[in-house]
Every structure is written in structure tokens, then in C-alpha cells.
Amino acid sequence: MDARTAGTKTARIYRMDMAEHHCPFGLKSLDLLQRKGFEVEDHPFRSREETDAFMQREGVKTTPQTYIDGKRIGGYEELRDHFGLAVKDEDEVTYMPVIALFAVAFAMALAIGWRMEGTVASLRTFEIFVATAMVLLGLQKLKDVESFSAMFLNYDLLARRWVPYGYVYPFAETLAGVLMLASALIWLAGPVALFIGTVGALSVFKAVYVEKRELKCACVGGDSKVPLGFVSLTENLIMMGMGLWMPFASTYCRREHDCASRITADGATDASEGSSRSSAVQRIAADAHRIAEAIGGMVVDGDNHGRALAIEIAPHQTQRIGAFGRIGPGTDFGGDRDRIGGLDRLGDGGVGAAL
């Protein structure tokens, strides 16, 4: 019983698999067939001569070539079409690159905002999102500045009047984004973002909504398939907004935040010092109470050796109390009053009076 009689789906594939070249579409075709449940008869070519001989014999110009039930299907894209899967159109426009870029920028902003602020719901998180998106967009343009500038010249008003602007733009956008991320040199980053955002918004509006031209946006580089339109306009408007907002935030909001932070820090420092002072008072009061009781008992019993010991110990405690600077006659010890009753019995001078 052969494989077909048993109900097993079979296919043959001929592909290049040489030491200097492993055909990626051959590997994709092989993987797709296996995922579709086919038992694949694989024929890898180990040399250019084998490949050329096969193409001449079969009358084809490319590899890989797939055969199902003895019928030639073709290459990888033809195989996808055979299975009813989507086939990429080289001229098809898509927003996917922009969606992916902004999604990554948003995720990074949430992560950084959570690390810095302890929350994702803050204005700084939005600032980080826009600044990160600017850096990523600039990076896409910097991959091939020549290609970007050629596409940019199709619609940018300033670049069409001054061609070098098409080469400067990617660096200016990236620099502004990096400075905004660092909240540094905002006096430079703000005007740069405002300028390129304003020129960009006017250019897109004129090309799309006034001249009704169907163009591709150079926002993600010179090989972009993103259509020029509302998304491009929104991107430039947000950049304009950041150019206006960041200098304001840097001048006023950050100053108020720093003042509030200093007040909070000073309050925490005072509270810490107050807590330390309270603990010191309690320790000294406890020591003084024990010494006072010991001195009192020794005086009543007439223990001259005890008095001598008290005289030796007391100056040390008196020095500790004096160094603190706030314990003396009339000091309010609150709940510790009973603990230092021994000091009261020794007189207004505390331990010193006993001496």
C-alpha cells in the first residue's frame, strides 16, 4: 500500500542548500509543507551545477520548486497561494510598521515610567512615550539617509526649497528625542521639535488635503510602504505639542516638583532627627534613673564605696546628658517622667546635684 492509498499527503521540493548559500524560501516552503501535514520528499541542491541542470530540465528560472500530486506548484509565494494564505504585494501600502513602532515605544514608556515613578499613569510617562517614538522614527530614517531624503523631497515644503534639510531632518529628530528623554538641554530640544513638527504638519496637510496626492510617508525610512495621510499629520502635531510643552514643563512644573521634593526630604530628615533625639532621650533617662536610684540607696546605707563608685560613674552620664543639650531642670520628658524620677529626687541639678 503506497502513501497515497493510505491517505498520506506527499510533496516534492527542490531547493538550494549549498555551503555558501542556504535558500531561505526553500526552508520556508519545506516548513510550510510539513506544517500542513505533508510527507515531504526533499531534494536539496549541493552545487550551482545541480541547480542549473534542474532549472534547464524543468524549464523554470528560480528555485525552490514544489510539486504536489505530480503537479508543479512553484515557489514559496505560489505555495502560499495554493494553500489560500495571504501573499504579500510589493506595492501594497500598510500602517503596520508605524503601529509596531508606536506599540514598542508605548511599552518602553510604561516600563520606564513604572521604574522611575512607581506608576504608569503619569504625565512623564506620556513624555517618555513621545520622546521614545521620536528616537525610533529617527533611527528608521538614519538606516538609509539617502533613500529617506529622496522620498522626503516628494512632499516636504522646506526640503524642496533647501535640499540639505532632507539630510539634516533624521539627526534633528533623533537628537530632540534623546534630549527630551534625558530632560536635558530642553531649550534646544523644544524649539527643534516645534520647528520640524510644524514644517512637517504643513507639508503633509498641503500634499494630502489640498493637492490630494497619494504618496508614501518617509516617516519610517525611504523604503516605507506607509501611506502619507492622517497618521503622518498626527505624528507631526504631537511633535509640535511636545516642542511647546517640554520647555514649559522644564521651567515651571519641574521647579515645583523639585521644591516639593525638597520639602518632603527636609520633613523626612526632621522626622528622622526627631526620632533619633527621642530615642537618645529615652536611653539617657533610663541610665540616669538607674544611677540615681543606685546613688540614693548608697547614700542612705552609708556605703562609702558605693558613693565613690557613683562619683566615678556620674560625670560620664552628666557629660552624656550635657552633650545632648536639652536635659536639665524643667525638661519635659512626657511619658518618661516616671522613668527619671531618680533625677527629681536628686534635686534640680540631676546627677550633678548628687555629687
Side-chain angles (χ1 to χ4, degrees):
M1 182 181 293
D2 60 19
R4 185 173 300 179
T5 305
T8 302
K9 298 184 293 183
T10 62
R12 286 181 293 122
I13 181 171
Y14 296 85
R15 61 189 181 89
M16 296 177 67
D17 186 21
M18 300 179 289
E20 66 275 11
H21 178 67
H22 303 279
C23 178
F25 296 105
L27 292 171
K28 286 185 175 184
S29 297
L30 179 61
D31 174 71
L32 180 56
L33 288 168
Q34 291 173 340
R35 285 190 286 113
K36 291 295 182 179
F38 281 79
E39 184 176 301
V40 183
E41 184 181 316
D42 188 17
H43 296 270
F45 299 129
R46 304 302 185 187
S47 67
R48 185 75 226 184
E49 290 73 20
E50 285 186 74
T51 306
D52 292 340
F54 168 81
M55 291 192 295
Q56 184 176 5
R57 183 176 69 249
E58 297 294 323
V60 297
K61 295 182 178 180
T62 60
T63 60
Q65 292 293 325
T66 300
Y67 295 77
I68 297 178
D69 295 332
K71 178 183 177 182
R72 187 176 71 85
I73 303 300
Y76 176 64
E77 291 187 352
E78 290 79 11
L79 184 61
R80 287 183 62 88
D81 184 63
H82 175 79
F83 289 130
L85 301 176
V87 177
K88 182 179 179 181
D89 183 356
E90 294 297 328
D91 296 323
E92 182 182 4
V93 295
T94 175
Y95 286 104
M96 187 55 65
V98 174
I99 293 173
L101 186 146
F102 277 98
V104 171
F106 186 65
M108 292 176 66
L110 293 180
I112 296 172
W114 178 262
R115 181 66 180 85
M116 292 176 57
E117 308 285 341
T119 178
V120 296
S122 70
L123 186 59
R124 182 56 182 158
T125 299
F126 179 76
E127 294 173 356
I128 294 171
F129 163 60
V130 177
T132 302
M134 289 174 61
V135 173
L136 295 178
L137 287 168
L139 179 62
Q140 295 300 308
K141 300 174 179 69
L142 288 171
K143 290 190 305 181
D144 188 348
V145 177
E146 190 67 39
S147 178
F148 160 77
S149 64
M151 183 177 288
F152 195 53
L153 284 167
N154 283 324
Y155 59 88
D156 190 82
L157 296 175
L158 180 56
R160 290 165 65 179
R161 289 177 175 271
W162 186 55
V163 173
Y165 179 64
Y167 295 91
V168 172
Y169 186 97
F171 296 94
E173 182 180 35
T174 305
L175 175 64
V178 170
L179 293 178
M180 288 180 178
L181 277 175
S183 293
L185 301 180
I186 298 302
W187 58 267
L188 174 62
V192 169
L194 178 60
F195 179 81
I196 63 178
T198 302
V199 174
L202 291 174
S203 300
V204 173
F205 184 84
K206 183 175 185 294
V208 175
Y209 299 102
V210 177
E211 299 175 347
K212 307 294 183 181
R213 301 168 65 195
E214 293 184 1
L215 298 170
K216 293 176 182 176
C217 180
C219 51
V220 289
D223 57 350
S224 169
K225 298 296 188 295
V226 177
L228 188 70
F230 176 75
V231 172
S232 307
L233 179 61
T234 303
E235 172 197 333
N236 283 285
L237 291 175
I238 292 176
M239 199 182 307
M240 289 174 57
M242 280 290 283
L244 292 170
W245 166 253
M246 289 301 290
F248 170 80
S250 177
T251 303
Y252 297 101
C253 298
R254 296 291 185 271
R255 180 184 300 169
E256 293 181 4
H257 179 270
D258 291 343
C259 290
S261 298
R262 281 196 294 271
I263 291 172
T264 302
D266 291 344
T269 301
D270 290 343
S272 176
E273 291 177 353
S275 176
S276 299
R277 185 178 295 116
S278 176
S279 298
V281 168
Q282 293 176 2
R283 289 194 301 270
I284 295 172
D287 291 343
H289 177 65
R290 287 194 296 270
I291 293 171
E293 287 185 340
I295 293 174
M298 294 172 188
V299 171
V300 171
D301 295 338
D303 188 344
N304 293 328
H305 294 291
R307 179 182 294 274
L309 180 62
I311 291 173
E312 182 181 350
I313 296 175
H316 173 65
Q317 299 299 335
T318 304
Q319 183 179 8
R320 290 180 59 191
I321 296 172
F324 195 75
R326 295 192 181 183
I327 300 179
T331 300
D332 183 9
F333 292 98
D336 293 321
R337 169 64 67 179
D338 293 338
R339 296 178 58 192
I340 57 176
L343 286 175
D344 292 337
R345 289 196 297 272
L346 293 174
D348 291 338
V351 176
L355 304 177

